[in-house]
Amino acid sequence: MNHVLKGSSRTDLLCIPAIMLGFHPQDSCVVIALKGAAVAMCARVDLRWFAGDPERTLRQLNNALGNVPEARIVLVGFGDPDDASISVAELADALGWDRIADALISQGDRYWVVPATGAPIAFSFDRSALAAQAVFQGIRIDATRAEAVLPVMVTEEVDPDLVARCRAAVAYIQPAVGFAVLRELAESSEPLGVEEGLTLALLLGDEDRLGALATRLSTDTAPVIWPNLVAARRFGPPETAPPVLALLALASWLSGRGAAHVAALEELTRIDARHPLAGVLSALHEQGLPPDRWPL
């Protein structure tokens, strides 16, 4: 998320993943890069990352870490202590132990230091000062990754007559009016209803309007535009999915919603791998670029 989080205690380090990722990680290995006490980067991989495509995983992590040179690296494994210990140790071996400032494993209300040589230490996320800071800053933390990505995946069937009326209205709209309506809907501070979300989705079927909204997206505007794109995703007909998903992936990345970014990108690639923004978004993900590098 676009919040400055600071912490140096091990309790802080255990809180950072949930706050930065937007959900409590499970069966995960999280890489945190710290500059001083400030979080410069936070990335998550599956606990058994080494059983999938380890070369790609390490390439992405090293790309991301390369954007924050001289940062201190902290690894935190979440899950079964034995599995988490193996995952963290494997990742530390791959990245180089000389780069690792701290390595921890956590299971609910307790944690160990890697290598685990002593008894577990009690821990409570809800009672930590950093968790209180997150609540104060209005950061939403979902219970699971599935909950965090749900907004970019949910679709709802809309009354066919309403779809037909909105489609006809958008088809005959004058260009200048279309851009004005697009901006009004995309940057609305009020939640969009069915007709508004549907109209926004249909407007984005035009490449010029799609490009115009893409250029409007930034780390400042993305938090406002993101929920409106979620409405477009929810109420838009199937043919609007590629452009809406492309912008949702971009807005998710710019607003720090890493899980939603990956989910939207994966769905876009599945539906339309040749979409004009798919390559750009895939490159952003592969290179691990921070949002403040946008526009490229």
Side-chain angles (χ1 to χ4, degrees):
M1 306 298 284
N2 293 326
H3 303 273
V4 177
L5 294 179
K6 294 185 177 182
S8 56
S9 70
R10 283 182 170 144
T11 298
D12 291 340
L13 297 177
L14 290 165
C15 292
I16 286 169
I19 297 170
M20 294 297 294
L21 298 172
F23 62 94
H24 290 281
Q26 301 167 1
D27 296 325
S28 304
C29 190
V30 178
V31 181
I32 304 168
L34 298 172
K35 280 203 167 183
V39 180
M41 187 275 288
C42 182
R44 171 204 168 274
V45 298
D46 289 339
L47 198 62
R48 295 184 60 79
W49 61 271
F50 46 84
D53 187 349
E55 291 185 359
R56 182 184 181 189
T57 297
L58 291 171
R59 183 171 62 251
Q60 289 177 317
L61 288 176
N62 278 312
N63 285 339
L65 291 168
N67 293 307
V68 285
E70 301 180 2
R72 296 184 298 121
I73 301 174
V74 175
L75 304 180
V76 187
F78 294 88
D80 175 82
D82 292 334
D83 290 342
S85 183
I86 293 171
S87 180
V88 168
E90 290 278 356
L91 192 53
D93 285 341
L95 294 176
W97 277 99
D98 59 313
R99 304 171 66 187
I100 309 302
D102 212 349
L104 309 171
I105 55 176
S106 174
Q107 187 184 45
D109 58 358
R110 54 186 181 162
Y111 74 92
W112 295 258
V113 180
V114 178
T117 56
I121 302 167
F123 163 73
S124 174
F125 177 87
D126 293 333
R127 295 179 182 177
S128 67
L130 208 59
Q133 179 185 340
V135 171
F136 179 76
Q137 294 185 9
I139 300 175
R140 173 173 171 167
I141 302 173
D142 290 308
T144 65
R145 183 181 184 276
E147 289 184 17
V149 305
L150 192 61
V152 303
M153 303 302 293
V154 169
T155 61
E156 185 175 318
E157 188 173 351
V158 177
D159 177 62
D161 290 337
L162 178 58
V163 175
R165 289 197 302 273
C166 289
R167 188 177 279 129
V170 168
Y172 290 102
I173 199 168
Q174 293 297 314
V177 176
F179 283 111
V181 174
L182 172 70
R183 183 166 178 175
E184 179 183 353
L185 292 175
E187 300 184 25
S188 172
S189 59
E190 297 295 327
L192 299 186
V194 177
E195 185 170 349
E196 291 85 357
L198 169 59
T199 300
L200 176 57
L202 292 168
L203 285 168
L204 291 173
D206 177 85
E207 288 188 6
D208 290 337
R209 290 192 287 258
L210 174 68
L213 187 53
T215 61
R216 288 288 301 163
L217 280 166
S218 68
T219 54
D220 291 328
T221 63
V224 175
I225 294 175
W226 188 84
N228 299 324
L229 289 171
V230 168
R233 167 67 171 149
R234 180 175 182 177
F235 301 122
E239 73 269 16
T240 67
V244 173
L245 282 168
L247 289 177
L248 259 177
L250 181 56
S252 296
W253 173 63
L254 288 168
S255 59
R257 296 175 169 89
H261 163 69
V262 173
L265 177 56
E266 289 177 345
E267 187 68 2
L268 170 64
T269 303
R270 185 186 70 80
I271 295 174
D272 185 4
R274 295 185 177 182
H275 189 274
L277 284 178
V280 174
L281 292 164
S282 295
L284 292 175
H285 182 60
E286 187 72 23
Q287 294 170 20
L289 291 176
D292 60 13
R293 294 280 292 273
W294 182 262
L296 302 179

